[in-house]
Amino acid sequence: MTSTANARTGETPAARQKRVWDKSAPSYDKQIAFFEKIQFGGGREWLGQRAHGRVLEVAIGTGRNLPHYPADATITGIELSPAMLAIARQRAADLGRDVDLQEGDAEHLPFGDASFDTVVCALSLCTIPNPAAAIGEMKRVLVPGGRLLLLDHIGSTWPPVCAAQWLLERITIRAAGEHFTRRQLPLVQAHGFQVVETERLKAGTVERIHAIKPS
Ligand SMILES: C[S@@+](CC[C@H](N)C(=O)[O-])C[C@H]1O[C@@H](n2cnc3c(N)ncnc32)[C@H](O)[C@@H]1O
């Protein structure tokens, strides 16, 4: 799920993410397809079934959720890495889907308040440098009553697995800003969302969240 690239002096966290994911883009689809089989199975379908109306996907990557959105939804995607975005554009064209794909930062969304009915973010809050800021932005751009749909890998409920994840992220955080024990649910709750559904799967290493921005 991550590409290694050593941190460079003076580089901002966002610039590092852009560099890491630009480098990872050519191999991302092949790599993530493996994890979709063994760890995230059904997750993209779960997101697509709950998305409706004007949908914003934050950190859309190569657009792997695109085939799962309802045909009548309007899709906008934002992504830091131009190389990931180029693959998403090709995927949208192959699907014959009109998708507004833009380069941008999840922590500073270039959209007005209350612009979307649904905000989706998959497998990305583990790597976005300031996930609390990103969730705050997701809340801002949602309409009151709008849906927040998250899918991510998190620290396991099994202590030995969680310990292994903690050890692994000692390397991946430094190399690529990738966290394995970060959890999004407390941030979602701290931002005042009303949590409607959560599912924790695969020894607790995967969490799906459906929350609502209060009216
Ligand atoms: C593991 S990939 C997931 C891609 C896609 N969401 C998926 O489900 O396959 C993480 C993505 O987050 C993007 N990303 C990281 N930080 C970001 C930020 N601050 N703003 C927007 N995208 C960001 C990366 O460029 C990368 O494409």
Side-chain angles (χ1 to χ4, degrees), residues 1 17 21 28 44 57 59-61 79-81 84 104-106 122-124 127-129:
M1 278 166 283
Q17 280 299 295
W21 288 101
Y28 181 73
R44 298 193 187 282
E57 183 168 343
I60 191 168
E79 167 57 48
L80 203 54
S81 154
M84 295 290 274
D105 188 341
L123 312 180
S124 297
T127 195
I128 288 172

Side-chain angles (χ1 to χ4, degrees), residues 9 17 29-30 34 70 75 77 82 85-86 96 107 109 114 149 162 176-178 186 189 193 199 202:
T9 320
Q17 280 299 295
D29 279 334
K30 198 170 168 196
F34 171 75
I75 314 296
L85 207 50
E107 296 171 24
L109 292 175
L149 301 171
C162 195
E178 175 94 7
Q189 290 166 324
F193 280 95
E199 291 182 19
K202 300 287 176 183

